[in-house]
Amino acid sequence: MVISTNDIKNGTVLDLDGQLWTVIWFQHHKPGKGNTVVRTKLKHVLTGKVVDRTFNSDTKVESAEVDRRDMQYLYQDADSYVFMDESSYEQIPVPAETVGDAKDFMLENQTATIALHQGNALYIDLPASVELKITYTEPGLQGDRSTGGTKPATLETGREIQVPLFISEGETVKVDTRNGDYLGRVSDK
C-alpha cells in the first residue's frame, strides 16, 4: 500500500528497498527556505538497527501490512516454537531466531503478541513482566534480608537471573522481560 510521508505516524511499518522499518519517531519540519520535510527515526524490524531518515513532504512511500495477533505459546518443536492463534486456532511455527531471548520468559500456554507480514513472523512482543518460579538457588543465610546483595537463581525456563539473598528455591518472582531484571517477589494468593 502506498502512503504519503505526511501520513506517517509512530508504529507505521514502511517497506523501503525490500526492508521493513518501523517508525519510532517522526517530525514535520519547515525550514526557513525550501519545502517541508518529514524527519524520522526508523527501526529495522528484523535487526533492531535504528537510523535517521528524512523525506520530502508529500513523497509517496510503500507501507507494509503488519498483522499483530495475540497467540498462545504451545510447545517447542526442534528449531521452532509453535504458537496458536487464539481466535482461529491456527498453529504457526516461529523460527528460534525470531523468538530470540523471549524464549527465556515463555511458559507453555502463555499469551504473546506476534507480528506477521505475509504469513511470516517478524517479532514477538511479551508482556513487560512475567511471573516465574525459582527452580534452583543457593539458600540464603539468616540476616541476609537487609544487606542488599544478590545471588544467581535459575528460573523454570532455564534462564539465570540475579535475585536478592533472601529469595529461596520454589518462590515465584516477577521478572522484566526486556532485560531479565528481578522486579519483586510474588506473594502466594
Side-chain angles (χ1 to χ4, degrees):
M1 179 169 78
V2 177
I3 63 170
S4 166
T5 53
N6 292 335
D7 298 329
I8 288 177
K9 42 186 191 262
N10 290 344
T12 302
V13 179
L14 304 177
D15 185 346
L16 304 173
D17 304 322
Q19 303 281 325
L20 296 180
W21 299 84
T22 303
V23 177
I24 55 175
W25 175 86
F26 74 99
Q27 177 185 45
H28 293 273
H29 178 69
K30 173 77 170 132
K33 293 181 182 177
N35 296 332
T36 302
V37 295
V38 179
R39 294 179 177 162
T40 62
K41 280 193 188 297
L42 304 173
K43 180 178 180 183
H44 194 276
V45 169
L46 299 177
T47 64
K49 178 181 176 183
V50 176
V51 297
D52 293 326
R53 179 111 184 234
T54 302
F55 299 96
N56 288 327
S57 179
D58 221 16
T59 301
K60 301 295 183 198
V61 291
E62 189 73 27
S63 172
E65 186 77 26
V66 174
D67 183 20
R68 290 177 179 83
R69 294 191 216 166
D70 284 340
M71 296 193 166
Q72 184 179 37
Y73 169 54
L74 297 178
Y75 58 90
Q76 182 179 0
D77 180 31
D79 59 347
S80 65
Y81 293 78
V82 179
F83 288 83
M84 179 183 68
D85 187 319
E86 294 179 335
S87 58
S88 70
Y89 302 107
E90 172 189 7
Q91 292 185 10
I92 298 173
V94 178
E97 308 84 62
T98 303
V99 173
D101 288 340
K103 72 181 180 327
D104 295 335
F105 306 106
M106 292 187 323
L107 292 175
E108 290 180 358
N109 302 320
Q110 180 181 346
T111 300
T113 302
I114 306 217
L116 300 166
H117 174 66
Q118 298 176 347
N120 297 321
L122 299 175
Y123 59 86
I124 294 178
D125 276 336
L126 291 177
S129 65
V130 292
E131 295 176 1
L132 296 169
K133 189 172 287 219
I134 301 288
T135 57
Y136 177 77
T137 188
E138 295 292 330
L141 300 172
Q142 188 65 28
D144 282 343
R145 300 183 190 285
S146 62
T147 61
T150 61
K151 63 181 178 179
T154 304
L155 300 171
E156 59 189 305
T157 59
R159 170 83 179 236
E160 189 173 282
I161 65 168
Q162 293 295 315
V163 297
L165 295 171
F166 60 83
I167 296 293
S168 56
E169 198 171 299
E171 288 191 71
T172 302
V173 294
K174 189 177 253 189
V175 181
D176 188 321
T177 58
R178 295 165 294 198
N179 54 21
D181 288 349
Y182 164 86
L183 296 176
R185 181 193 265 172
V186 176
S187 60
D188 295 329
K189 295 173 176 120

